[in-house]
Amino acid sequence: MKKREVQASVKDERLVKKRRDQMIKGAVTLFIQKGFHRTTTREIAKAAGFSIGTLYEYIRTKEDVLYLVCDSIYDQVSERLQKDLDTNRGTIESLRMGIADYFRVVDEMQDEVLVMYQEVKSLSKDALPYVLKKEIEMVEMFEQIITGCVENKELDLPEAQIKMIAHNIFVQGQMWAFRRWSLKKLYSIEDYINLQTELLFQGIKSPVYNESNV
Amino acid sequence: MKKREVQASVKDERLVKKRRDQMIKGAVTLFIQKGFHRTTTREIAKAAGFSIGTLYEYIRTKEDVLYLVCDSIYDQVSERLQKDLDTNRGTIESLRMGIADYFRVVDEMQDEVLVMYQEVKSLSKDALPYVLKKEIEMVEMFEQIITGCVENKELDLPEAQIKMIAHNIFVQGQMWAFRRWSLKKLYSIEDYINLQTELLFQGIKSPVYNESNV
Amino acid sequence: MKKREVQASVKDERLVKKRRDQMIKGAVTLFIQKGFHRTTTREIAKAAGFSIGTLYEYIRTKEDVLYLVCDSIYDQVSERLQKDLDTNRGTIESLRMGIADYFRVVDEMQDEVLVMYQEVKSLSKDALPYVLKKEIEMVEMFEQIITGCVENKELDLPEAQIKMIAHNIFVQGQMWAFRRWSLKKLYSIEDYINLQTELLFQGIKSPVYNESNV
Amino acid sequence: MKKREVQASVKDERLVKKRRDQMIKGAVTLFIQKGFHRTTTREIAKAAGFSIGTLYEYIRTKEDVLYLVCDSIYDQVSERLQKDLDTNRGTIESLRMGIADYFRVVDEMQDEVLVMYQEVKSLSKDALPYVLKKEIEMVEMFEQIITGCVENKELDLPEAQIKMIAHNIFVQGQMWAFRRWSLKKLYSIEDYINLQTELLFQGIKSPVYNESNV
DNA sequence: GATGAATGAGTCTTCATTCAT
DNA sequence: CATGAATGAAGACTCATTCAT
């Protein structure tokens, strides 16, 4: 699926990219503070450093800004993930690393992830699929790593479990952002990584079962 | 923490309850369709079956409607949970049942959970704590069940893990609502319950480790 | 000119009078605080001690309340004046006394006078003449006293001056109410009475002219 | 005391002045017809010749319009007075001229004076002092002229009388506007000036006292 | 390309008035 | 007679979008 085109009146591609980057940066800050709906286009223009007129030279509607923001955040997150995941394919270690890396990316981009997470639903039916596609791709990245482990016989998991685990990992990453008001009181990001990884690999340890193993 | 009072001009408590129930019911439907911000007070009044003037006899601001909606949904969900969780305390079975029940409640109230989930952030700083409190209470309910199992020696888990698991269960329940566009293609609600429970209790089975256990 | 009839649904005349008196009393207080337009009918009803439904049993529109209030205030003021002015007709002393009494009435009813004074203009074209009539009558009372003095040869004034003086006295009375924020810093009510009376009777003393008179 | 700043979104000062002048002009007409409260912002915008949106580019609230109107009227009146009063300082003639000029200004700006006079009380506690200050200044202008005469030995008056006379003059000017429904039937503006001046300078002539002077 | 003044549809909220109980 | 819930017209104000300069 190709990117959704956001129309600009200005022709100079380089300029379009530059202006949009300014715009995204300003908008993220504002969306974090007050949400998409409570942020005005004027505020976005001001935060971006240009006039309302100029803003509309690079987008068609306010919603375009939201799309651009979401798109940009996903791009950044998945770009960083991609890099990490290209190494050590098929080993349990690569899965551990993948999870840790993903959680750390989320930690670093907390605000952005939160925004994207809370405002996607404000995208029109038109733009939504493009953003959802990105999310699916990220889940698939985890799926591939896990599948690699299974193919390498490092893990033994049925298809249904693979997908479930991929979803869980993805959501647990987001969870670090959107439940931070609660989680940060309990864990550091490294604690969080360790605990979630441990639970993932070992499940809940029942002393009864353990005893019977002896 | 006491409930936040939403002021009504009308004195008759019974009527206030009745009208607010109408209002909540209509509002949920609308919020699902278009979100809080894109829904107008007139639409809410109409959906509730009365005039805009009457709407404002029972609330002070539009945000009150959102608060009422969130409050009502949490109440319904946690009321159902409470009922289930009072039996079989301290056994692994009660934990299994608790999870299954919670996931089924979420399934039945998908729309409501989704709404609440996506719109809480639109609550003012004033009302937010009251709603967040509800969420914390629900996580604590799971914590208590798990703690019960630990006290009964049915499980052996450190404090940090108990809390982590409680959060995970809570989020995995919500996840069924907010990722349904993706999950429903893969699993029925019962599949989902079984898979998540299995993963929770056993973790990822690694053939390598199993062999080494022999 | 007869009083303007304000229609009431209730038949019992005595009750109508009683309820309207309650209403007027409450309304004056409110009008003083916030003005006619910023006062709601609900507030008036509450201040009067009965329900909004009952309020409308005794008036037809909100404006009726204003009319009733203005009418009542004028009645009180002119009733008190009338009493005083019936004695000592035709003497300068009666004029002095009339002025002093009028100013004192205004002082005692400052709030009421102020309200009436500021809100008459909010009366509809329909009710205005009835209230203005009252004002004219009051000016005429002063006219009569002065005319009495002229007829008694206590004063020697042409018609035009008589009317002018009557107006001046009337306005100087009101002035004590509507410029009190300024005048009270300078004078007590008795100072005010003395000064205004003195100026009225003697005008500005010019030493130059006095000398030339010698 | 500095002027209260009324915030505008538009930066161009010249334009702000121009638009506000249009706005004031339109608003005065409307306020005269129906009063401040019964005039809608849409009507003001229309009367000013632009859209409601544009109106709000130049003010923040409806009350700002009222403040602007009051401020402008006082400015016009006192500007005209100031000009006149700079000449012939300290002579009785300058006082006569000042009164005549002031009354004539009021006559020319009857509507404006009336509006300001009736609506000031609708200003918020915030804006009121700024307008009241203007009124005080105008009274002080008369005070200064009179004081000048006293210093020049053209008049012999105690402090308390000077202030009282200044207030009287000021109120008699306004009176020409707010009692015009009554006064115009009796006098032309020139009659009014002559009569009031005469009364001011000579007081009521009592034939008895005159005889005793001989 | 950039600017920002102008636009007006749309939104929340108030409040005088009615009428069934 | 008294009550107060219901009504909806009306009003202040916002803000995405356009377009002339």
Side-chain angles (χ1 to χ4, degrees):
Chain A
M1 193 188 285
K2 287 203 319 214
K3 257 182 208 296
R4 192 177 103 111
E5 289 297 326
V6 174
Q7 288 198 40
S9 308
V10 174
K11 301 297 167 194
D12 181 342
E13 288 287 350
R14 204 184 308 267
L15 192 55
V16 170
K17 169 109 183 64
K18 180 183 158 198
R19 291 276 181 263
R20 284 187 179 170
D21 282 347
Q22 292 175 269
M23 185 187 313
I24 289 164
K25 205 172 160 208
V28 168
T29 319
L30 290 164
F31 291 173
I32 287 164
Q33 284 168 29
K34 22 199 329 200
F36 172 69
H37 280 104
R38 295 197 213 275
T39 301
T40 69
T41 51
R42 281 178 139 88
E43 288 170 325
I44 296 171
K46 192 173 182 185
F50 38 71
S51 72
I52 182 69
T54 303
L55 183 76
Y56 275 86
E57 292 288 312
Y58 297 94
I59 53 161
R60 277 265 176 286
T61 68
K62 184 186 174 187
E63 210 213 272
D64 283 346
V65 181
L66 181 56
Y67 174 74
L68 252 21
V69 164
C70 290
D71 195 53
S72 143
I73 295 172
Y74 264 122
D75 273 354
Q76 288 177 63
V77 175
S78 62
E79 186 187 354
R80 282 202 38 179
L81 268 195
Q82 198 72 52
K83 219 180 302 174
D84 294 327
L85 302 187
D86 283 342
T87 48
N88 291 96
R89 297 201 125 268
T91 67
I92 283 189
E93 207 44 34
S94 76
L95 178 54
R96 281 181 183 279
M97 291 293 296
I99 292 169
D101 267 326
Y102 169 53
F103 285 11
R104 285 193 200 105
V105 176
V106 171
D107 186 52
E108 285 166 38
M109 301 184 63
Q110 279 176 60
D111 288 340
E112 285 82 357
V113 170
L114 192 56
V115 160
M116 204 198 50
Y117 183 74
Q118 294 183 325
E119 305 291 359
V120 240
K121 66 144 212 315
S122 296
L123 287 171
S124 65
K125 297 283 170 257
D126 190 35
L128 197 57
Y130 293 83
V131 174
L132 255 30
K133 183 72 200 320
K134 284 266 171 61
E135 206 177 292
I136 290 169
E137 283 169 11
M138 288 183 60
V139 175
E140 282 171 352
M141 286 167 69
F142 287 109
E143 237 183 284
Q144 282 167 30
I145 309 178
I146 302 168
T147 305
C149 295
V150 172
E151 283 168 354
N152 272 7
K153 310 274 189 219
E154 296 243 336
L155 289 177
D156 178 17
L157 297 165
E159 184 68 13
Q161 279 198 345
I162 295 176
K163 285 186 185 299
M164 183 87 286
I165 293 164
H167 271 100
N168 280 352
I169 293 170
F170 182 71
V171 169
Q172 280 164 9
Q174 288 188 148
M175 174 176 156
W176 179 250
F178 70 77
R179 293 182 73 74
R180 58 184 177 190
W181 52 272
S182 179
L183 295 174
K184 288 232 170 153
K185 289 179 200 153
L186 302 168
Y187 320 108
S188 70
I189 177 65
E190 293 304 323
D191 292 341
Y192 187 73
I193 291 171
N194 291 335
L195 264 172
Q196 291 290 30
T197 309
E198 205 174 328
L199 283 174
L200 175 66
F201 280 101
Q202 291 161 38
I204 296 176
K205 272 179 292 188
S206 156
V208 181
Y209 294 141
N210 284 349
E211 276 166 31
S212 69
N213 280 347
V214 178
Chain B
M1 192 188 286
K2 287 203 320 211
K3 257 181 207 295
R4 192 177 102 114
E5 290 296 326
V6 174
Q7 288 203 38
S9 306
V10 173
K11 301 290 169 193
D12 182 343
E13 288 288 350
R14 206 186 306 268
L15 191 55
V16 170
K17 170 118 185 55
K18 181 182 159 196
R19 291 280 179 261
R20 283 189 179 165
D21 283 347
Q22 291 176 267
M23 185 188 312
I24 289 166
K25 208 175 159 199
V28 168
T29 319
L30 289 164
F31 292 172
I32 287 164
Q33 283 167 30
K34 24 198 331 200
F36 174 69
H37 280 104
R38 295 198 213 276
T39 302
T40 68
T41 50
R42 284 196 138 75
E43 288 171 323
I44 296 171
K46 194 172 180 184
F50 36 69
S51 72
I52 183 67
T54 301
L55 182 75
Y56 276 88
E57 291 282 306
Y58 296 92
I59 52 159
R60 269 239 188 308
T61 67
K62 184 185 175 189
E63 209 214 272
D64 281 347
V65 182
L66 182 56
Y67 172 75
L68 252 20
V69 165
C70 291
D71 194 54
S72 142
I73 296 172
Y74 263 122
D75 272 355
Q76 288 177 60
V77 175
S78 63
E79 187 189 354
R80 281 203 38 180
L81 269 195
Q82 198 73 51
K83 221 179 306 175
D84 294 329
L85 302 188
D86 285 342
T87 48
N88 292 95
R89 299 199 121 269
T91 65
I92 283 189
E93 205 44 33
S94 76
L95 178 55
R96 282 185 184 276
M97 291 293 296
I99 294 169
D101 267 325
Y102 170 52
F103 285 12
R104 284 192 200 107
V105 175
V106 172
D107 186 52
E108 285 166 39
M109 301 185 62
Q110 279 176 60
D111 288 339
E112 284 83 357
V113 170
L114 191 57
V115 160
M116 206 199 48
Y117 184 74
Q118 293 182 326
E119 304 291 358
V120 239
K121 66 141 212 320
S122 297
L123 287 171
S124 66
K125 297 280 170 263
D126 190 37
L128 196 56
Y130 293 83
V131 175
L132 252 33
K133 184 68 204 314
K134 286 265 174 60
E135 205 177 294
I136 289 170
E137 283 169 10
M138 288 182 61
V139 175
E140 281 171 353
M141 286 166 70
F142 287 111
E143 233 181 286
Q144 283 168 28
I145 309 180
I146 302 168
T147 304
C149 295
V150 172
E151 284 167 355
N152 273 6
K153 312 273 190 218
E154 296 243 334
L155 290 176
D156 179 19
L157 297 165
E159 185 69 15
Q161 278 197 348
I162 296 175
K163 285 186 184 300
M164 183 87 287
I165 292 163
H167 272 100
N168 281 352
I169 293 170
F170 182 70
V171 170
Q172 280 164 10
Q174 288 189 150
M175 175 176 156
W176 178 250
F178 69 78
R179 293 185 72 76
R180 58 183 178 190
W181 52 272
S182 179
L183 295 174
K184 286 233 172 151
K185 290 181 200 149
L186 302 168
Y187 320 108
S188 70
I189 177 64
E190 293 304 326
D191 293 342
Y192 186 73
I193 291 170
N194 290 335
L195 265 171
Q196 291 289 31
T197 309
E198 206 175 329
L199 283 173
L200 176 66
F201 280 100
Q202 291 162 37
I204 297 177
K205 272 179 292 188
S206 155
V208 180
Y209 292 139
N210 283 348
E211 277 164 30
S212 70
N213 277 345
V214 177
Chain C
M1 192 189 284
K2 286 203 320 212
K3 257 182 207 294
R4 190 178 102 112
E5 289 298 325
V6 173
Q7 288 198 39
S9 307
V10 174
K11 301 298 167 193
D12 182 345
E13 287 290 347
R14 203 186 307 268
L15 191 55
V16 170
K17 170 110 183 60
K18 180 183 158 196
R19 292 277 181 261
R20 284 188 179 168
D21 283 347
Q22 292 176 271
M23 186 187 312
I24 288 164
K25 206 174 160 205
V28 168
T29 319
L30 290 164
F31 292 173
I32 286 164
Q33 283 170 29
K34 24 198 329 199
F36 173 69
H37 280 105
R38 295 197 214 276
T39 302
T40 69
T41 50
R42 282 179 140 84
E43 289 170 323
I44 296 170
K46 192 172 181 185
F50 37 72
S51 73
I52 182 67
T54 302
L55 183 75
Y56 274 87
E57 292 288 312
Y58 297 92
I59 53 160
R60 276 267 176 284
T61 69
K62 183 185 175 188
E63 211 213 270
D64 282 346
V65 181
L66 182 56
Y67 173 75
L68 252 21
V69 165
C70 291
D71 194 52
S72 141
I73 296 172
Y74 262 123
D75 273 355
Q76 288 178 61
V77 176
S78 61
E79 186 189 354
R80 281 201 41 178
L81 270 194
Q82 198 72 51
K83 221 179 305 175
D84 294 329
L85 303 187
D86 284 342
T87 48
N88 291 95
R89 299 199 122 270
T91 66
I92 283 189
E93 205 45 31
S94 76
L95 177 55
R96 282 184 183 275
M97 291 293 295
I99 292 171
D101 267 326
Y102 169 53
F103 284 12
R104 284 191 200 107
V105 176
V106 171
D107 186 52
E108 285 166 38
M109 301 185 62
Q110 278 176 60
D111 288 338
E112 285 81 358
V113 171
L114 191 57
V115 160
M116 207 199 48
Y117 182 73
Q118 294 183 326
E119 305 291 358
V120 239
K121 65 142 210 319
S122 296
L123 287 171
S124 66
K125 297 281 171 260
D126 188 37
L128 197 57
Y130 294 82
V131 174
L132 252 33
K133 183 71 202 316
K134 285 266 172 61
E135 205 177 293
I136 289 170
E137 283 169 11
M138 288 182 60
V139 175
E140 281 171 353
M141 286 166 69
F142 287 110
E143 236 182 284
Q144 282 167 29
I145 307 178
I146 303 167
T147 305
C149 294
V150 172
E151 283 167 357
N152 272 7
K153 310 278 189 212
E154 295 244 335
L155 289 178
D156 179 18
L157 297 165
E159 185 69 14
Q161 278 197 348
I162 295 175
K163 286 187 186 297
M164 183 87 288
I165 292 164
H167 271 101
N168 281 352
I169 293 169
F170 182 69
V171 169
Q172 281 165 8
Q174 289 188 148
M175 174 176 157
W176 179 250
F178 70 78
R179 292 184 72 77
R180 59 183 177 189
W181 52 272
S182 180
L183 295 175
K184 287 234 170 150
K185 291 180 199 151
L186 301 168
Y187 318 108
S188 70
I189 177 65
E190 294 304 325
D191 291 343
Y192 187 74
I193 291 170
N194 290 334
L195 266 171
Q196 290 290 30
T197 310
E198 207 175 328
L199 284 173
L200 175 67
F201 281 101
Q202 292 162 35
I204 297 177
K205 274 179 291 188
S206 158
V208 180
Y209 293 139
N210 284 347
E211 278 165 28
S212 69
N213 279 344
V214 178
Chain D
M1 194 188 287
K2 287 203 320 211
K3 257 180 209 296
R4 193 178 100 112
E5 291 295 328
V6 174
Q7 289 205 36
S9 306
V10 173
K11 302 289 170 194
D12 182 343
E13 289 287 349
R14 204 184 307 268
L15 192 55
V16 170
K17 169 119 184 56
K18 182 182 158 196
R19 291 279 179 261
R20 284 188 179 168
D21 283 347
Q22 292 176 265
M23 185 188 316
I24 289 164
K25 207 173 160 202
V28 168
T29 319
L30 289 163
F31 291 172
I32 287 164
Q33 282 168 30
K34 23 197 336 198
F36 173 69
H37 281 105
R38 296 198 213 275
T39 301
T40 69
T41 51
R42 283 194 138 78
E43 288 171 325
I44 296 171
K46 193 173 182 185
F50 36 70
S51 71
I52 182 70
T54 301
L55 181 76
Y56 276 88
E57 292 282 307
Y58 296 92
I59 51 159
R60 269 238 187 312
T61 66
K62 185 184 173 188
E63 209 214 274
D64 282 346
V65 181
L66 181 56
Y67 173 74
L68 251 22
V69 165
C70 291
D71 194 55
S72 142
I73 295 172
Y74 263 123
D75 273 354
Q76 287 177 62
V77 175
S78 64
E79 188 188 354
R80 281 202 38 181
L81 269 195
Q82 198 73 51
K83 219 180 303 174
D84 294 329
L85 303 187
D86 285 342
T87 48
N88 289 95
R89 298 200 122 268
T91 65
I92 285 190
E93 206 44 36
S94 75
L95 178 55
R96 283 183 183 277
M97 291 294 295
I99 293 170
D101 266 325
Y102 169 53
F103 285 11
R104 285 192 200 105
V105 176
V106 172
D107 186 52
E108 286 167 38
M109 301 185 62
Q110 278 175 60
D111 289 339
E112 284 83 356
V113 170
L114 191 56
V115 159
M116 204 198 49
Y117 183 75
Q118 294 183 325
E119 305 291 357
V120 239
K121 66 145 212 316
S122 297
L123 286 171
S124 65
K125 296 280 169 263
D126 191 38
L128 196 58
Y130 293 82
V131 174
L132 252 32
K133 184 70 201 318
K134 285 264 173 61
E135 205 176 293
I136 289 171
E137 283 169 11
M138 289 184 59
V139 175
E140 281 171 352
M141 287 168 68
F142 287 109
E143 234 182 285
Q144 282 168 29
I145 309 178
I146 303 168
T147 305
C149 295
V150 172
E151 283 167 356
N152 272 8
K153 313 269 189 221
E154 296 242 334
L155 289 178
D156 179 18
L157 296 166
E159 184 70 14
Q161 278 198 349
I162 295 176
K163 285 186 186 298
M164 183 87 286
I165 293 165
H167 271 100
N168 281 351
I169 293 171
F170 182 70
V171 169
Q172 281 165 7
Q174 289 188 149
M175 175 176 156
W176 179 249
F178 70 79
R179 294 183 70 78
R180 60 183 176 190
W181 52 272
S182 179
L183 295 173
K184 287 233 169 151
K185 289 180 200 151
L186 302 168
Y187 320 108
S188 70
I189 178 65
E190 293 303 325
D191 292 343
Y192 187 74
I193 291 169
N194 290 334
L195 265 171
Q196 291 289 31
T197 309
E198 205 173 328
L199 283 173
L200 175 67
F201 280 100
Q202 291 161 38
I204 298 177
K205 272 178 293 186
S206 156
V208 181
Y209 293 139
N210 284 349
E211 277 165 30
S212 70
N213 279 346
V214 176

